[in-house]
Amino acid sequence: MIFIRFIIGLFLLVFINELKAQQTALKGLSRMQRYNYVDGDDTLKSYEIRALGYFRNTEFFHPMEKGRTLFGLQAMSYWKSDFKEQQLEIGIGFNQFFGGAARIYPHIALIRNIKNSFGGQFRFGSLSNPGHFLPEPFYNPANPYETPFEYGVQFVSESTDLWINWDQSIDFSSPFKESFVAGINKSIKLSKKRLSRKSIKKNDHLFQPGIEIRFFSLYRHVGGQIDSDETGYQGNRIQSGFQLTIKPQFLIRRDFKRSYIYLPKYEYFLMRYDDPLSKFSSISYGFGHLHQISLNWKDLEFSTKLWRGRDWLSPFGQGIYQSFNPNDLSATYKEGSSLNIISIKWLGKTGGLKNFYLGYDMFFDNDLRDWNSAFTLNFFIRI
């Protein structure tokens, strides 16, 4: 019975007409916070201004995460030098929480553009894309709204994101520990998306699966020797994950005319948590599985997900997936988590709502037998 909502979601996805599958998401936030670019693509302007209006409301009545609302505006302006082997970005960013405080962030990055076969960019200073395209059990999608800047070192390319974010430094007698995060997100494409004309006969039907694998990991360190924090919470935690993406499509060719039939995209995530010395809780290791099927219809994306976790913890992940509430350690421990999730997103690519991004997620907890939901709005402008 726990698979009923998952099967219903799959049924709806398969039978919607005029479907086009592609890898995309609610990306107003990532467009605001990504700075990597290549020669010939938006590199002629020396000054850039960006702004993002955001609203995220989670109606969560769940022991592992309570609902909250984030409503505000992010804005930034920066100057960038000519696109050469070495480059400089310098500017300032703001994050105004409506009804709350405004925060100011410096934006400065020393950049080394790598034009060899790696085709990437080395950044020292402000990091690109603080969310790093990590899945929700790994990284709460609300985090970049609260903390839009990360600082450290990073190598970023089309297929690789490798970074260190030093998020807390200390001085003598600081009342808290120092902390940093090291992470990697690496993708490998195993098949080509299109076949050449010469390889296709006059009348042919070909099955073309697009296959991609991804490896991602976070290493979280909390410690220090010169601080005055005596809580005892210090040590190292590691999260690691594997993702398999299959994007099937059929190519039909008749009399040299080609057409494509796109099937739903399938993604599988296997994730593991390790705290070998049990420094932060009684859990020394845990794991989680996430299955996702999704497809696109015009500017809409539909997806259905199935999550199963046991002793899953994540310092930055969304609480509803976890065995402990990351914001309230007094909450009752929940060994297993079982969720069915349905998501609908507006991609904001065309029409009168261009640059508006909407997302609505419904979570059903199979153990507690209750529903929770999340709504997100992005409005992005770039000048």
Side-chain angles (χ1 to χ4, degrees), residues 22 36 38 88 96 101 109 113 127 141 189 191 200 204 227 248 336:
Q22 61 185 15
N36 52 306
V38 296
L88 175 66
Q96 173 63 62
N113 293 301
L127 305 187
K189 294 184 179 180
S191 62
I200 305 174
D204 208 350
D227 59 88

Side-chain angles (χ1 to χ4, degrees), residues 39-59:
D39 194 10
D41 181 16
D42 258 343
T43 60
L44 298 179
K45 294 165 55 178
S46 59
Y47 287 94
E48 185 164 320
I49 300 174
R50 304 178 181 185
L52 176 75
Y54 61 88
F55 176 81
R56 177 171 173 82
N57 180 62
T58 52
E59 292 292 329

